[in-house]
Amino acid sequence: MFSERILKRFTDPKYAGGLRGANGTGKSGESSSGDLIKIYILVNDENVITDAKFKAYGGVCTIAACDVACGLIEGRSLEAALRTNYYQILEEMGQVPSNREYTAALAEEAIKNAIEDFYKKKEKEIKSKK
C-alpha cells in the first residue's frame, strides 16, 4: 500500500520531536479532521535554518511528509526554505496514494507558518530594543 520510502520515514523519522530553543513554530491542519502538524525551526544569525523538527498527529503519510519537509529545509536559508513546496515534498516521499497527497500541502503550510512566526518574533524583538 505504501512505498518503501514512505514506510522508512514513518518507522524511523529523523526529525520527529520537539526543538528546545526553537525560534519559529508553524502549525497546519486540524486535529478534528485527523491531521495536525507542528514544525519547529531554529534559525541562526545568518537566517539559515540550523535545525528543524516536527510533531504530528496523523497517519503514515502525515509523518512521512513532515520528516521529508524538515529534511528539505534544514541547512537552507529562510528564503530558500520558503520556496519548498508541495511538489518537492511529494517527489521526495515517492509514490503517495492520491487520497494522501494533501499531507504534503499540510507540511508546506507548516513550513511557511514557522518562517512567518520567526519573522514576527524577530520584528517584535527589534521593536522592544528601540
Side-chain angles (χ1 to χ4, degrees), residues 20 50 62 69 89 126:
R20 193 175 295 242
T50 58
T62 303
I89 295 167
I126 291 168

Side-chain angles (χ1 to χ4, degrees), residues 55-73:
K55 289 186 180 179
Y57 173 79
V60 172
C61 287
T62 303
I63 304 301
C66 290
D67 202 54
V68 164
C70 288
L72 288 172
I73 64 171

Side-chain angles (χ1 to χ4, degrees), residues 41-81:
I41 58 174
L42 184 60
V43 181
N44 68 14
D45 292 338
E46 287 82 41
N47 285 342
V48 172
I49 298 172
T50 58
D51 203 355
K53 299 286 185 204
F54 76 91
K55 289 186 180 179
Y57 173 79
V60 172
C61 287
T62 303
I63 304 301
C66 290
D67 202 54
V68 164
C70 288
L72 288 172
I73 64 171
E74 191 175 77
R76 295 178 77 195
S77 69
L78 291 173
E79 187 178 297

Side-chain angles (χ1 to χ4, degrees), residues 84-104:
T84 303
N85 64 49
Y86 162 89
Y87 299 105
Q88 291 169 308
I89 295 167
L90 279 179
E91 185 178 322
E92 190 67 28
M93 287 173 73
Q95 293 178 315
V96 179
S98 60
N99 65 339
R100 297 288 181 248
E101 289 180 354
Y102 71 92
T103 60

